[in-house]
Amino acid sequence: MKERGEEMKFLEYAGIDAINSALVFETPECKVYGRVEPYSCKAAGADKKLYKQIEIKYDPSNSPPDSTDGPSSSFRNIISPFGPLDQPASRRTLFYLIGTLNASFPDYDFSDAKPEQFRKEPSVSMVVNSVNSTLLNHGNDRAVKELRIWDSIDNLIDFEDSDVYSYNPESDSDPNDEEGGGTLWSFNYFFFNRKLKRIIYFTMRGVSYGAPCEDGDEDDFSDLSDDDVGFASHRRKSYRYDDYVAGEMDMM
């Protein structure tokens, strides 16, 4: 596999603002902030460092043949959610998911995210049903029934050829808990299509009404139109409305 950097670039999609607008709403119990965004990766130096870090850490060829304590020796036989980490394809998948998180949360560095913090979900349909249940249970049937968000996402990623991974960070490395706190529940899903070379990152969280705001981020969306909410939630990355991403990548 040729070493090169990857830089995430937002991929414009006509219906994304309406979807993201519908995924920011209030319930009697909490405020809900969700996001789906497309990204494209271009060759650049920004993520080359990340790629090298992952290769050094997990590629067994970086340890001497007889080494038992080299940087990669303990990972040679580990079966990660992506497959054995001594396989380039498995490490590449980890690289893409971490790269997506770095693009989604530009003020954070996920280089140390561990493979065990990710999980391969049993099927796309189970994830779709789980997200639908969350939306419907919180009174948001518009996103599912009117906007038909899954049709739009399927057009971008093609569910038939996609795997789904989830990300479950430790509390001390979860930006949702650091950026104002008050998170009651959350999910982070990556829809990954190797053939199309795309990743869709779909995430949502419920925040208690008593959660503090970030300093200098005291305003809210109360005076904005639906279109403005969609735009604001897209532009205001790494603040209390968080950075929920979907992505397209050129694979190495």
Side-chain angles (χ1 to χ4, degrees):
M1 181 170 59
K2 182 180 179 181
E3 291 188 16
R4 70 176 190 179
E6 301 282 315
E7 178 183 275
M8 303 293 216
K9 182 179 179 181
F10 185 75
L11 177 67
E12 297 293 339
Y13 178 69
I16 207 71
D17 284 344
I19 290 173
N20 285 335
S21 176
L23 296 178
V24 178
F25 60 98
E26 295 185 354
T27 76
E29 297 81 20
C30 63
K31 296 173 285 186
V32 179
Y33 304 115
R35 179 157 317 183
V36 176
E37 292 182 355
Y39 273 74
S40 174
C41 274
K42 303 295 182 181
D47 283 333
K48 191 172 184 178
K49 180 179 178 181
L50 170 63
Y51 176 66
K52 287 185 176 180
Q53 286 176 340
I54 292 175
E55 288 295 287
I56 290 172
K57 187 172 185 179
Y58 297 109
D59 184 355
S61 67
N62 290 310
S63 295
D66 297 328
S67 172
T68 58
D69 59 357
S72 308
S73 59
S74 61
F75 300 104
R76 290 182 182 181
N77 298 316
I78 289 181
I79 304 298
S80 74
F82 326 111
L85 288 176
D86 61 354
Q87 299 299 312
S90 302
R91 300 192 299 273
R92 194 179 309 137
T93 300
L94 175 61
F95 166 74
Y96 289 136
L97 299 190
I98 292 178
T100 300
L101 288 170
N102 282 339
S104 174
F105 297 88
D107 290 346
Y108 292 83
D109 183 359
F110 293 86
S111 299
D112 292 329
K114 303 178 177 112
E116 58 266 29
Q117 292 177 313
F118 297 89
R119 172 188 169 184
K120 186 175 182 179
E121 298 298 323
S123 69
V124 170
S125 61
M126 289 183 65
V127 171
V128 169
N129 289 336
S130 176
V131 174
N132 283 348
S133 294
T134 298
L135 289 168
L136 295 174
N137 288 339
H138 285 83
N140 189 346
D141 58 351
R142 176 172 176 261
V144 178
K145 298 179 179 179
E146 181 180 335
L147 293 178
R148 302 181 67 85
I149 60 173
W150 297 113
D151 287 349
S152 296
I153 295 174
D154 188 22
N155 287 336
L156 283 169
I157 198 68
D158 188 3
F159 289 145
E160 288 293 326
D161 289 319
S162 296
D163 293 322
V164 187
Y165 298 94
S166 58
Y167 174 58
N168 303 285
E170 298 170 356
S171 58
D172 60 355
S173 61
D174 185 356
N176 287 335
D177 287 341
E178 295 180 15
E179 293 177 358
T183 298
L184 302 175
W185 54 265
S186 66
F187 62 72
N188 303 274
Y189 291 119
F190 303 81
F191 296 83
F192 183 22
N193 187 315
R194 299 176 191 274
K195 293 181 180 178
L196 292 181
K197 303 179 180 180
R198 292 180 182 177
I199 288 180
I200 298 288
Y201 177 42
F202 185 177
T203 185
M204 185 178 294
R205 67 177 182 132
V207 181
S208 64
Y209 283 105
C213 298
E214 287 282 289
D215 292 340
D217 192 28
E218 305 274 335
D219 57 314
D220 58 30
F221 287 167
S222 58
D223 296 329
L224 299 181
S225 67
D226 286 347
D227 289 341
D228 290 334
V229 168
F231 176 77
S233 65
H234 167 63
R235 297 300 302 174
R236 296 175 59 179
K237 292 196 168 192
S238 70
Y239 291 93
R240 66 178 183 173
Y241 297 106
D242 293 329
D243 316 306
Y244 302 135
V245 174
E248 175 174 331
M249 300 179 169
D250 278 338
M251 301 302 177
M252 291 188 232

PDB file of all heavy atoms in Angstrom, residues 88-106:
ATOM      1  N   PRO A  88      -3.017  -5.161   6.217  1.00  0.00           N
ATOM      2  CA  PRO A  88      -3.095  -3.754   5.796  1.00  0.00           C
ATOM      3  C   PRO A  88      -4.525  -3.232   5.684  1.00  0.00           C
ATOM      4  O   PRO A  88      -4.791  -2.082   6.053  1.00  0.00           O
ATOM      5  CB  PRO A  88      -2.403  -3.751   4.431  1.00  0.00           C
ATOM      6  CG  PRO A  88      -1.465  -4.915   4.481  1.00  0.00           C
ATOM      7  CD  PRO A  88      -2.165  -5.956   5.304  1.00  0.00           C
ATOM      8  N   ALA A  89      -5.459  -4.058   5.191  1.00  0.00           N
ATOM      9  CA  ALA A  89      -6.837  -3.584   5.007  1.00  0.00           C
ATOM     10  C   ALA A  89      -7.485  -3.231   6.341  1.00  0.00           C
ATOM     11  O   ALA A  89      -8.277  -2.284   6.433  1.00  0.00           O
ATOM     12  CB  ALA A  89      -7.667  -4.643   4.284  1.00  0.00           C
ATOM     13  N   SER A  90      -7.155  -3.992   7.386  1.00  0.00           N
ATOM     14  CA  SER A  90      -7.724  -3.718   8.703  1.00  0.00           C
ATOM     15  C   SER A  90      -7.191  -2.403   9.248  1.00  0.00           C
ATOM     16  O   SER A  90      -7.949  -1.576   9.777  1.00  0.00           O
ATOM     17  CB  SER A  90      -7.389  -4.855   9.665  1.00  0.00           C
ATOM     18  OG  SER A  90      -7.871  -6.091   9.187  1.00  0.00           O
ATOM     19  N   ARG A  91      -5.895  -2.193   9.115  1.00  0.00           N
ATOM     20  CA  ARG A  91      -5.293  -0.947   9.593  1.00  0.00           C
ATOM     21  C   ARG A  91      -5.808   0.239   8.783  1.00  0.00           C
ATOM     22  O   ARG A  91      -5.992   1.337   9.315  1.00  0.00           O
ATOM     23  CB  ARG A  91      -3.770  -1.026   9.521  1.00  0.00           C
ATOM     24  CG  ARG A  91      -3.179  -2.147  10.364  1.00  0.00           C
ATOM     25  CD  ARG A  91      -1.672  -2.002  10.504  1.00  0.00           C
ATOM     26  NE  ARG A  91      -0.960  -2.044   9.223  1.00  0.00           N
ATOM     27  CZ  ARG A  91      -0.556  -3.159   8.630  1.00  0.00           C
ATOM     28  NH1 ARG A  91      -0.817  -4.347   9.181  1.00  0.00           N
ATOM     29  NH2 ARG A  91       0.115  -3.121   7.492  1.00  0.00           N
ATOM     30  N   ARG A  92      -6.045   0.019   7.497  1.00  0.00           N
ATOM     31  CA  ARG A  92      -6.540   1.092   6.635  1.00  0.00           C
ATOM     32  C   ARG A  92      -7.934   1.532   7.079  1.00  0.00           C
ATOM     33  O   ARG A  92      -8.251   2.732   7.104  1.00  0.00           O
ATOM     34  CB  ARG A  92      -6.571   0.599   5.189  1.00  0.00           C
ATOM     35  CG  ARG A  92      -6.749   1.705   4.149  1.00  0.00           C
ATOM     36  CD  ARG A  92      -6.749   1.112   2.751  1.00  0.00           C
ATOM     37  NE  ARG A  92      -5.608   0.249   2.542  1.00  0.00           N
ATOM     38  CZ  ARG A  92      -5.660  -0.936   1.937  1.00  0.00           C
ATOM     39  NH1 ARG A  92      -6.821  -1.389   1.483  1.00  0.00           N
ATOM     40  NH2 ARG A  92      -4.570  -1.654   1.769  1.00  0.00           N
ATOM     41  N   THR A  93      -8.780   0.564   7.448  1.00  0.00           N
ATOM     42  CA  THR A  93     -10.117   0.914   7.905  1.00  0.00           C
ATOM     43  C   THR A  93     -10.045   1.730   9.181  1.00  0.00           C
ATOM     44  O   THR A  93     -10.755   2.738   9.333  1.00  0.00           O
ATOM     45  CB  THR A  93     -10.955  -0.357   8.145  1.00  0.00           C
ATOM     46  OG1 THR A  93     -11.057  -1.088   6.929  1.00  0.00           O
ATOM     47  CG2 THR A  93     -12.354  -0.002   8.625  1.00  0.00           C
ATOM     48  N   LEU A  94      -9.186   1.321  10.104  1.00  0.00           N
ATOM     49  CA  LEU A  94      -9.003   2.093  11.334  1.00  0.00           C
ATOM     50  C   LEU A  94      -8.545   3.509  11.005  1.00  0.00           C
ATOM     51  O   LEU A  94      -9.031   4.490  11.580  1.00  0.00           O
ATOM     52  CB  LEU A  94      -7.979   1.396  12.237  1.00  0.00           C
ATOM     53  CG  LEU A  94      -7.582   2.138  13.519  1.00  0.00           C
ATOM     54  CD1 LEU A  94      -8.786   2.344  14.420  1.00  0.00           C
ATOM     55  CD2 LEU A  94      -6.483   1.373  14.245  1.00  0.00           C
ATOM     56  N   PHE A  95      -7.636   3.630  10.059  1.00  0.00           N
ATOM     57  CA  PHE A  95      -7.140   4.941   9.638  1.00  0.00           C
ATOM     58  C   PHE A  95      -8.277   5.817   9.109  1.00  0.00           C
ATOM     59  O   PHE A  95      -8.392   7.003   9.460  1.00  0.00           O
ATOM     60  CB  PHE A  95      -6.067   4.754   8.571  1.00  0.00           C
ATOM     61  CG  PHE A  95      -5.718   6.009   7.825  1.00  0.00           C
ATOM     62  CD1 PHE A  95      -4.960   7.004   8.419  1.00  0.00           C
ATOM     63  CD2 PHE A  95      -6.136   6.190   6.517  1.00  0.00           C
ATOM     64  CE1 PHE A  95      -4.626   8.161   7.724  1.00  0.00           C
ATOM     65  CE2 PHE A  95      -5.812   7.343   5.825  1.00  0.00           C
ATOM     66  CZ  PHE A  95      -5.061   8.333   6.426  1.00  0.00           C
ATOM     67  N   TYR A  96      -9.153   5.248   8.280  1.00  0.00           N
ATOM     68  CA  TYR A  96     -10.239   6.034   7.710  1.00  0.00           C
ATOM     69  C   TYR A  96     -11.215   6.516   8.777  1.00  0.00           C
ATOM     70  O   TYR A  96     -11.685   7.658   8.742  1.00  0.00           O
ATOM     71  CB  TYR A  96     -10.983   5.220   6.661  1.00  0.00           C
ATOM     72  CG  TYR A  96     -10.188   4.993   5.406  1.00  0.00           C
ATOM     73  CD1 TYR A  96     -10.166   3.745   4.801  1.00  0.00           C
ATOM     74  CD2 TYR A  96      -9.446   6.013   4.826  1.00  0.00           C
ATOM     75  CE1 TYR A  96      -9.425   3.513   3.651  1.00  0.00           C
ATOM     76  CE2 TYR A  96      -8.710   5.801   3.682  1.00  0.00           C
ATOM     77  CZ  TYR A  96      -8.700   4.550   3.094  1.00  0.00           C
ATOM     78  OH  TYR A  96      -7.968   4.326   1.966  1.00  0.00           O
ATOM     79  N   LEU A  97     -11.532   5.649   9.739  1.00  0.00           N
ATOM     80  CA  LEU A  97     -12.492   6.041  10.766  1.00  0.00           C
ATOM     81  C   LEU A  97     -11.915   7.113  11.681  1.00  0.00           C
ATOM     82  O   LEU A  97     -12.605   8.079  12.033  1.00  0.00           O
ATOM     83  CB  LEU A  97     -12.927   4.813  11.582  1.00  0.00           C
ATOM     84  CG  LEU A  97     -13.616   3.696  10.799  1.00  0.00           C
ATOM     85  CD1 LEU A  97     -14.216   2.673  11.758  1.00  0.00           C
ATOM     86  CD2 LEU A  97     -14.676   4.226   9.852  1.00  0.00           C
ATOM     87  N   ILE A  98     -10.658   6.958  12.064  1.00  0.00           N
ATOM     88  CA  ILE A  98     -10.030   7.985  12.897  1.00  0.00           C
ATOM     89  C   ILE A  98      -9.894   9.293  12.116  1.00  0.00           C
ATOM     90  O   ILE A  98     -10.120  10.387  12.643  1.00  0.00           O
ATOM     91  CB  ILE A  98      -8.657   7.511  13.400  1.00  0.00           C
ATOM     92  CG1 ILE A  98      -8.831   6.351  14.385  1.00  0.00           C
ATOM     93  CG2 ILE A  98      -7.903   8.657  14.077  1.00  0.00           C
ATOM     94  CD1 ILE A  98      -7.526   5.785  14.889  1.00  0.00           C
ATOM     95  N   GLY A  99      -9.560   9.188  10.828  1.00  0.00           N
ATOM     96  CA  GLY A  99      -9.475  10.387   9.999  1.00  0.00           C
ATOM     97  C   GLY A  99     -10.799  11.109   9.902  1.00  0.00           C
ATOM     98  O   GLY A  99     -10.855  12.347   9.884  1.00  0.00           O
ATOM     99  N   THR A 100     -11.893  10.355   9.838  1.00  0.00           N
ATOM    100  CA  THR A 100     -13.219  10.956   9.808  1.00  0.00           C
ATOM    101  C   THR A 100     -13.498  11.707  11.099  1.00  0.00           C
ATOM    102  O   THR A 100     -14.012  12.830  11.091  1.00  0.00           O
ATOM    103  CB  THR A 100     -14.289   9.879   9.581  1.00  0.00           C
ATOM    104  OG1 THR A 100     -14.053   9.233   8.334  1.00  0.00           O
ATOM    105  CG2 THR A 100     -15.687  10.476   9.568  1.00  0.00           C
ATOM    106  N   LEU A 101     -13.155  11.092  12.234  1.00  0.00           N
ATOM    107  CA  LEU A 101     -13.364  11.760  13.517  1.00  0.00           C
ATOM    108  C   LEU A 101     -12.540  13.038  13.614  1.00  0.00           C
ATOM    109  O   LEU A 101     -13.024  14.069  14.103  1.00  0.00           O
ATOM    110  CB  LEU A 101     -13.001  10.809  14.657  1.00  0.00           C
ATOM    111  CG  LEU A 101     -13.965   9.654  14.901  1.00  0.00           C
ATOM    112  CD1 LEU A 101     -13.373   8.654  15.886  1.00  0.00           C
ATOM    113  CD2 LEU A 101     -15.318  10.170  15.413  1.00  0.00           C
ATOM    114  N   ASN A 102     -11.301  12.988  13.156  1.00  0.00           N
ATOM    115  CA  ASN A 102     -10.456  14.186  13.195  1.00  0.00           C
ATOM    116  C   ASN A 102     -11.038  15.312  12.348  1.00  0.00           C
ATOM    117  O   ASN A 102     -10.956  16.489  12.708  1.00  0.00           O
ATOM    118  CB  ASN A 102      -9.042  13.857  12.718  1.00  0.00           C
ATOM    119  CG  ASN A 102      -8.216  13.165  13.783  1.00  0.00           C
ATOM    120  OD1 ASN A 102      -8.507  13.253  14.969  1.00  0.00           O
ATOM    121  ND2 ASN A 102      -7.182  12.455  13.354  1.00  0.00           N
ATOM    122  N   ALA A 103     -11.632  14.958  11.210  1.00  0.00           N
ATOM    123  CA  ALA A 103     -12.245  15.973  10.357  1.00  0.00           C
ATOM    124  C   ALA A 103     -13.528  16.498  10.981  1.00  0.00           C
ATOM    125  O   ALA A 103     -13.859  17.675  10.857  1.00  0.00           O
ATOM    126  CB  ALA A 103     -12.525  15.393   8.976  1.00  0.00           C
ATOM    127  N   SER A 104     -14.242  15.614  11.665  1.00  0.00           N
ATOM    128  CA  SER A 104     -15.505  15.992  12.291  1.00  0.00           C
ATOM    129  C   SER A 104     -15.308  16.910  13.484  1.00  0.00           C
ATOM    130  O   SER A 104     -16.080  17.838  13.706  1.00  0.00           O
ATOM    131  CB  SER A 104     -16.239  14.730  12.729  1.00  0.00           C
ATOM    132  OG  SER A 104     -17.394  15.052  13.455  1.00  0.00           O
ATOM    133  N   PHE A 105     -14.279  16.639  14.275  1.00  0.00           N
ATOM    134  CA  PHE A 105     -13.979  17.428  15.466  1.00  0.00           C
ATOM    135  C   PHE A 105     -12.588  18.053  15.309  1.00  0.00           C
ATOM    136  O   PHE A 105     -11.611  17.526  15.832  1.00  0.00           O
ATOM    137  CB  PHE A 105     -14.002  16.542  16.716  1.00  0.00           C
ATOM    138  CG  PHE A 105     -15.333  15.928  17.003  1.00  0.00           C
ATOM    139  CD1 PHE A 105     -15.693  14.708  16.443  1.00  0.00           C
ATOM    140  CD2 PHE A 105     -16.238  16.558  17.852  1.00  0.00           C
ATOM    141  CE1 PHE A 105     -16.914  14.132  16.710  1.00  0.00           C
ATOM    142  CE2 PHE A 105     -17.471  15.982  18.129  1.00  0.00           C
ATOM    143  CZ  PHE A 105     -17.817  14.772  17.556  1.00  0.00           C
ATOM    144  N   PRO A 106     -12.466  19.145  14.576  1.00  0.00           N
ATOM    145  CA  PRO A 106     -11.140  19.688  14.257  1.00  0.00           C
ATOM    146  C   PRO A 106     -10.347  20.166  15.461  1.00  0.00           C
ATOM    147  O   PRO A 106      -9.137  20.327  15.361  1.00  0.00           O
ATOM    148  CB  PRO A 106     -11.462  20.848  13.304  1.00  0.00           C
ATOM    149  CG  PRO A 106     -12.875  21.204  13.583  1.00  0.00           C
ATOM    150  CD  PRO A 106     -13.555  19.930  13.958  1.00  0.00           C
TER     151      PRO A 106
END
